Amino acid sequence: MTPVEHHVDAAVSHYYVYVPSRNALRMFLYPTRIGLYRYLKGYWLNRASFDSFILMAVYSGTFTFTVNGRRSTASTGDLVLLDCHEPNVYQAQAETDSTLLWMHFDGRLAHDYFETIHDELGSVITLKRATYAISRFRMIYDTFAEERKVNEARMSLAIAEVLTECLTAGDDTAERTGTPYNQHAIEETLSYIATHLSEPLPVSQLAGMALMSEYYYIRVFKQVTGYTPHTYIVNARMHAAKYLLLTGEATLKEICAECGFYSTSAFCAAFRKRFGCTPLEFRRGGASVSESVSL
């Protein structure tokens, strides 16, 4: 379809409208509109409420975006991610002649992706692997432009890949700016926990590995994972115990040793509190028990 907006070069600009299947609505990320526009200097948009998120890739030129009074600039190679669900969401202006690939999208986890990316990086995102991300973005556009067979699962994967590149941009930013490595330090201790569940794992030891005080480690750990270290470790041990109960013939004593519990009585009490049944009842009944986790 050809745009009719002012300051858009209609000769080289096109967009497509897509209605996702019920299967896509239930399972996937999906595009609803996608276009490749050549904007002329002076283009202006004041976007009211719309029904999706929008992702843009700047092929060339400079655009400015004002979101809730905060102004940011996107240049060649940048991605822009905005939430169009709210009224008076944003204003956009072409500072120079610019070419943008844009896509309105929605679906399962779209809001979660947006919140996580936006909270850390804002509206304009500079990627280390911009070429790769934009190529995945362009693949979706080309599906429509070249009238290929639509594969909703592959389009969902491509959108997820672009958004995942945005998620990792925070790591790139930390490397460039010298931002504290808190998340990296916590992730390293998560790996250690996963491979040392049979050991005591005191917070003092984990905090020391992260080069943090215990108080600061607990606070950052919860920011990164959503759990306190104690709750996270107990959850990990319980999941390991469930797996061992459902696979093989390990005794309770062997499971206790493998999962870091100092006695079978302590293990059984913790298991009953978490799942509402004893370990042996769980083994007989399979994975039908419910889990209660407190943070």
Side-chain angles (χ1 to χ4, degrees):
M1 301 179 71
T2 302
V4 294
E5 299 173 62
H6 293 295
H7 289 86
V8 174
D9 187 349
V12 295
S13 302
H14 303 281
Y15 74 98
Y16 305 91
V17 176
Y18 182 69
V19 178
S21 69
R22 290 183 177 179
N23 195 45
L25 291 172
R26 182 172 60 89
M27 296 177 60
F28 297 142
L29 295 165
Y30 50 83
T32 56
R33 301 158 193 84
I34 188 166
L36 182 60
Y37 278 18
R38 174 68 173 169
Y39 296 95
L40 304 179
K41 182 179 179 181
Y43 171 86
W44 170 263
L45 173 68
N46 187 19
R47 171 66 71 192
S49 180
F50 211 58
D51 61 355
S52 59
F53 300 92
I54 188 169
L55 182 66
M56 292 170 269
V58 182
Y59 271 29
S60 65
T62 303
F63 245 77
T64 58
F65 296 89
T66 304
V67 182
N68 297 323
R70 297 184 62 181
R71 191 170 184 268
S72 53
T73 300
S75 301
T76 302
D78 286 340
L79 293 186
V80 181
L81 180 62
L82 302 172
D83 182 358
C84 298
H85 290 91
E86 298 296 330
N88 302 315
V89 169
Y90 70 89
Q91 296 80 43
Q93 183 173 4
E95 300 293 334
T96 66
D97 289 354
S98 306
T99 300
L100 271 69
L101 177 63
W102 56 265
M103 174 177 61
H104 286 275
F105 75 97
D106 218 315
R108 294 290 300 271
L109 300 179
H111 181 267
D112 292 333
Y113 269 113
F114 173 81
E115 288 291 331
T116 303
I117 294 167
H118 190 266
D119 287 351
E120 183 172 356
L121 300 172
S123 301
V124 177
I125 304 149
T126 300
L127 301 179
K128 180 178 289 186
R129 300 205 308 169
T131 301
Y132 172 76
I134 294 173
S135 73
R136 306 306 296 149
F137 196 166
R138 182 61 185 257
M139 182 274 289
I140 303 170
Y141 176 83
D142 288 343
T143 295
F144 297 101
E146 299 174 6
E147 299 182 3
R148 301 179 196 164
K149 178 182 177 182
V150 171
N151 185 314
E152 291 183 318
R154 291 193 180 279
M155 288 198 301
S156 179
L157 176 60
I159 296 170
E161 286 180 309
V162 176
L163 296 174
T164 299
E165 287 297 315
C166 294
L167 288 173
T168 62
D171 297 338
D172 300 337
T173 301
E175 292 174 4
R176 291 195 303 272
T177 62
T179 302
Y181 68 112
N182 291 347
Q183 181 162 340
H184 296 290
I186 296 300
E187 289 171 350
E188 288 180 1
T189 62
L190 295 182
S191 297
Y192 184 84
I193 290 168
T195 55
H196 294 78
L197 286 177
S198 62
E199 301 175 15
L201 298 174
V203 172
S204 58
Q205 176 189 0
L206 299 172
M209 292 172 60
L211 301 179
M212 299 176 186
S213 69
E214 289 186 40
Y215 172 80
Y216 188 61
Y217 177 79
I218 293 170
R219 184 159 67 89
V220 175
F221 191 100
K222 189 165 186 178
Q223 288 175 348
V224 172
T225 68
Y227 301 98
T228 65
H230 173 74
T231 299
Y232 182 90
I233 292 169
V234 171
N235 288 347
R237 286 175 168 156
M238 287 297 176
H239 283 295
K242 285 171 63 176
Y243 179 77
L244 290 172
L245 286 166
L246 291 173
T247 58
E249 300 294 332
T251 65
L252 288 185
K253 185 175 181 180
E254 290 169 337
I255 292 173
C256 285
E258 190 69 20
C259 297
F261 290 93
Y262 59 86
S263 71
T264 55
S265 60
F267 168 59
C268 291
F271 196 94
R272 178 184 284 277
K273 182 178 180 181
R274 179 62 56 87
F275 301 114
C277 64
T278 68
L280 293 181
E281 288 170 342
F282 176 82
R283 173 172 270 171
R284 289 194 297 268
S288 61
V289 300
S290 61
E291 181 174 1
S292 173
V293 179
S294 59
L295 303 185

